[in-house]
Amino acid sequence: MEKNIPLDRQPYAPNAPPSYDNAQQIYPNLNQQPPAQPLIMQAPPNVLGNVPSMATCPSCGARRQTRVEFEPSTKTHLLALLICMIGGICCCCIPYCKDSCQSAKHTCSNCGAYVGTFKN
């Protein structure tokens, strides 16, 4: 048996979804583009050797040719000791004169900051 219920007393019905014409009023930022992200550029890694090379300074950020200074290392001292023990006491200074037996210390040519060391 169906009951005749007047229209104003119908059971609860959810509201219909908004029309597409009304979407701009409900969502005003719908057609706007998202804010642009900043472009991040990474410098190539510093590849150091025993000659001056292109490197990015960690202090000033400049990408320039480095200055190279050679410093004695543990390897230099051990070679000099080995030469001395073999009997060439007058030749033990050779490792201190050869750049290939020393470490290359790279510094920035712009600000003079330490960039890195290449150990031979």
Side-chain angles (χ1 to χ4, degrees):
M1 290 195 166
E2 289 183 32
K3 295 183 182 179
N4 290 335
I5 303 173
L7 289 177
D8 60 336
R9 294 188 181 201
Q10 287 288 334
Y12 173 74
N15 292 338
S19 67
Y20 289 108
D21 299 333
N22 203 9
Q24 287 298 337
Q25 294 172 354
I26 297 172
Y27 306 107
N29 297 330
L30 191 62
N31 292 332
Q32 289 183 353
Q33 294 181 355
Q37 295 292 326
L39 182 62
I40 298 172
M41 299 286 292
Q42 282 189 331
N46 293 337
V47 179
L48 305 175
N50 59 353
V51 294
S53 58
M54 293 296 289
T56 304
C57 176
S59 179
C60 67
R63 180 144 182 89
R64 291 194 168 183
Q65 193 91 4
T66 60
R67 280 183 289 178
V68 177
E69 299 171 1
F70 292 96
E71 298 177 338
S73 62
T74 306
K75 178 183 171 184
T76 311
H77 301 307
L78 289 175
L79 282 171
L81 180 65
L82 181 69
I83 291 171
C84 188
M85 288 175 60
I86 290 176
I89 193 141
C90 59
C91 299
C92 67
C93 62
I94 292 175
Y96 296 102
C97 298
K98 297 292 291 177
D99 293 340
S100 62
C101 297
Q102 299 182 34
S103 297
K105 178 182 172 187
H106 290 263
T107 56
C108 178
S109 59
N110 188 36
C111 66
Y114 173 76
V115 176
T117 300
F118 176 74
K119 297 186 181 211
N120 289 331

